[in-house]
């Protein structure tokens, strides 16, 4: 059995790792943080997990509130692992050498890459391995093989309650700007897509083509609702003009994974629409078909995977049926349904468990790696390549 410690869990992702119990974790957890709203919000979310009717947890937080959290944690060392959800790993180009050193050996450190557990991401990677359906990734000059866009919302609901973000979330010197935040997940996904399409091939390097960033104007009223603070703090004064904060959370970048061209764009909007949520759109172009992933109002804010033939449509249908039939052991109930000139993958709700459910799975992955004595070297190389690209993109966007 292992014991978890939490260091200043200001980001709500830290609490989401405890959304489900784990058989190899003690219910007793240790929390090191200064007293205040961030600690209170973390404990409130843990308490909500403990009190829910279905699958209640039984976490018992031992709170060591006070200044100097890191020094006290290092001195007392009450657990076997530390959860620190102060994402991202790098807020800018500084610190890359420290990250390189951390990944070279020593204590195991793993990111919360929840997208690796999202069912449509897994199915998309599987589709790329079906040569009779997808073919090879498109590498023609001037053609972008992988395009992804996402829209997130500053004001949203988590675990059925309005999310409160700490004021430092809006400080790009702390939280990172648009290049440093969501693209950590999007670049990771692009790397995995290329690796899936070329299993057993050499690890592809990443080459930056271009990067830019821009701001979302956040009115004082929205900032107050999201953070619980009545006004912008003094630390953000340089980004405030009148009654609005300029939040540099939006980014676009293009790069190559080996010979595969990729384009990403991520934006922050103010508030979720009623009954809505974040949106996502992706296109992966192959020689035989395009795979399209859509999450929007048109899909009821659930991700939908479509396969659109580019050639030999009469042969693609039977090949897709054979492929989906072979998946049933791993993905029971997934079906391909003809829609228009292509097909859609229908995913049972039992497999589409939602973003919040993926955080305990990331923690479970980490615990499995710890039992095995560490992460595979390929994971460290994958992570370092990603952050090296993002560090270069950050410098390019600032110029």
């Amino acid at each position: 059995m292992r014991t978890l410690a939490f260091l200043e869990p200001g980001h709500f992702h830290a609490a989401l790792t405890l959304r489900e119990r784990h058989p190899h974790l003690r219910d007793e957890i240790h929390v090191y943080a200064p007293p205040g709203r961030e600690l209170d919000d973390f404990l409130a979310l843990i308490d909500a997990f403990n009190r829910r009717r279905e699958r209640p947890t039984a976490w018992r937080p031992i709170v060591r509130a006070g200044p100097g959290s890191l020094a006290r944690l290092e001195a007392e060392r009450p657990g076997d692992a530390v959860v620190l959800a102060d994402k991202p790993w790098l807020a800018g180009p500084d610190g890359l050498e420290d990250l390189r050193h951390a990944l070279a050996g020593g204590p195991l450190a793993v990111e919360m890459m929840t997208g690796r557990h999202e069912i449509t991401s897994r199915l998309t990677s599987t589709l790329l391995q079906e040569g009779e359906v997808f073919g090879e990734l498109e590498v023609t000059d001037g053609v972008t093989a992988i395009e992804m866009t996402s829209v997130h919302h500053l004001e949203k609901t988590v675990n059925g309650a309005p999310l409160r973000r700490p004021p430092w979330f809006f400080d790009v010197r702390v939280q990172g700007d648009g290049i440093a935040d969501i693209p950590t997940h999007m670049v990771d996904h692009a790397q995995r897509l290329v690796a899936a399409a070329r299993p057993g091939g050499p690890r592809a390097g990443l080459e930056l083509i271009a990067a830019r960033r821009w701001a979302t104007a956040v009115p004082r009223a929205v900032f107050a609702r999201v953070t619980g603070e009545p006004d912008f703090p003094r630390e953000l004064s340089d980004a405030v003009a009148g009654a609005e904060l300029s939040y540099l959370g939006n980014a676009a970048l293009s790069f190559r994974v080996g010979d595969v061209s990729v384009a990403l764009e991520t934006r922050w909007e103010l508030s979720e629409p009623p009954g809505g949520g974040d949106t996502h759109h992706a296109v992966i172009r192959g020689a035989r078909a395009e795979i399209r992933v859509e999450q929007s109002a048109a899909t009821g804010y659930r991700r939908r995977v479509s396969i659109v033939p580019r050639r030999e449509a009469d042969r693609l249908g039977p090949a897709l049926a054979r492929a989906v039939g072979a998946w049933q052991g791993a993905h029971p109930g997934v079906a391909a349904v003809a829609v228009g000139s292509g097909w859609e993958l229908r995913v049972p709700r039992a497999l589409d468990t939602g973003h919040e459910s993926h955080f305990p799975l990331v923690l479970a992955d980490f615990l499995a790696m710890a039992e095995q004595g560490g992460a595979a070297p390929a994971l460290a190389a994958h992570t370092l390549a990603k952050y090296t690209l993002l560090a270069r993109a950050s410098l390019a966007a600032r110029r």
Side-chain angles (χ1 to χ4, degrees):
M1 298 289 284
R2 294 183 179 272
T3 301
L4 286 183
F6 287 76
L7 175 63
E8 299 187 359
H11 199 290
F12 71 101
H13 286 176
L16 289 180
T17 63
L18 299 178
R19 195 171 184 264
E20 305 290 344
R21 299 182 79 178
H22 191 283
H24 295 155
L25 280 180
R26 294 182 178 88
D27 290 330
E28 182 180 277
I29 60 174
H30 299 261
V31 185
Y32 289 79
R37 182 171 292 163
E38 292 178 27
L39 175 59
D40 294 343
D41 289 347
F42 172 79
L43 296 174
L45 195 49
I46 301 305
D47 185 62
F49 296 153
N50 285 346
R51 292 177 178 272
R52 68 187 176 204
R53 290 186 177 182
E54 297 183 1
R55 307 181 325 280
T57 55
W59 306 114
R60 300 191 304 273
I62 298 176
V63 181
R64 293 173 167 84
S69 303
L70 177 59
R72 290 185 291 112
L73 174 62
E74 289 178 326
E76 297 175 13
R77 296 180 178 269
D80 308 282
V82 178
V83 177
L84 171 60
D86 182 10
K87 73 167 196 172
W89 274 16
L90 294 183
D94 298 333
L96 184 60
E97 287 307 310
D98 290 336
L99 178 57
R100 189 188 306 275
H101 176 74
L103 292 171
L108 174 65
V110 175
E111 299 176 278
M112 293 183 186
M113 290 289 109
T114 52
R116 298 172 186 173
H117 292 279
E118 204 278 324
I119 183 61
T120 60
S121 295
R122 295 170 64 191
L123 291 175
T124 300
S125 294
T126 303
L127 274 170
L128 265 61
Q129 299 175 44
E130 300 290 346
E132 293 185 356
V133 177
F134 181 73
E136 298 287 334
L137 278 165
E138 179 66 76
V139 293
T140 305
D141 287 346
V143 175
T144 302
I146 301 173
E147 294 182 16
M148 287 186 273
T149 62
S150 70
V151 177
H152 296 256
H153 298 86
L154 297 171
E155 191 172 22
K156 63 191 300 183
T157 298
V158 172
N159 198 45
L163 172 65
R164 184 155 57 186
R165 300 183 187 273
W168 54 256
F169 175 88
F170 295 89
D171 190 338
V172 297
R173 296 165 300 183
V174 177
Q175 167 71 9
D177 61 14
I179 294 287
D181 189 5
I182 305 301
T184 60
H185 300 271
M186 300 174 82
V187 175
D188 185 85
H189 188 35
Q191 289 174 288
R192 287 184 287 112
L193 289 174
V194 174
R198 298 171 174 177
R203 182 172 59 87
L206 277 64
E207 177 189 358
L208 179 68
I209 299 173
R212 65 186 181 95
R213 62 179 187 169
W214 65 100
T216 293
V218 183
R220 181 180 285 109
V222 173
F223 182 88
R225 290 199 302 269
V226 171
T227 65
E229 299 293 336
D231 204 351
F232 303 119
R234 182 181 305 171
E235 293 80 6
L236 296 177
S237 59
D238 290 347
V240 174
E244 289 186 335
L245 168 72
S246 181
Y247 173 52
L248 273 171
N250 309 315
L253 64 154
S254 56
F255 59 98
R256 278 185 284 269
V257 185
D259 57 352
V260 178
S261 296
V262 182
L264 312 176
E265 183 175 307
T266 177
R267 302 193 310 276
W268 284 92
E269 295 185 355
L270 297 178
S271 305
E272 284 183 329
D278 296 341
T279 63
H280 175 83
H281 176 75
V283 178
I284 304 101
R285 296 181 173 89
R288 295 181 179 273
E290 282 187 359
I291 300 174
R292 300 177 183 175
V293 184
E294 181 76 22
Q295 176 183 319
S296 65
T299 68
Y301 294 99
R302 296 181 66 200
R303 293 201 178 188
R304 180 177 64 197
V305 180
S306 303
I307 300 96
V308 180
R310 301 185 72 185
R311 63 181 178 87
E312 299 178 330
D314 57 331
R315 298 178 58 183
L316 194 147
L320 178 61
R322 289 192 296 272
V324 172
W327 301 346
Q328 294 306 304
H331 309 297
V334 172
V337 179
V339 176
S341 60
W343 297 265
E344 288 182 8
L345 290 185
R346 300 290 168 83
V347 180
R349 282 196 176 270
L351 300 182
D352 189 3
T353 53
H355 178 58
E356 294 178 23
S357 69
H358 301 151
F359 288 88
L361 299 178
V362 172
L363 178 57
D365 287 345
F366 171 82
L367 294 172
M369 292 180 199
E371 289 298 319
Q372 296 163 8
L379 179 58
H382 172 105
T383 304
L384 182 59
K386 174 178 66 175
Y387 279 105
T388 300
L389 174 80
L390 292 172
R392 293 169 180 166
S394 180
L395 289 171
R398 295 178 190 196
R399 287 195 295 265

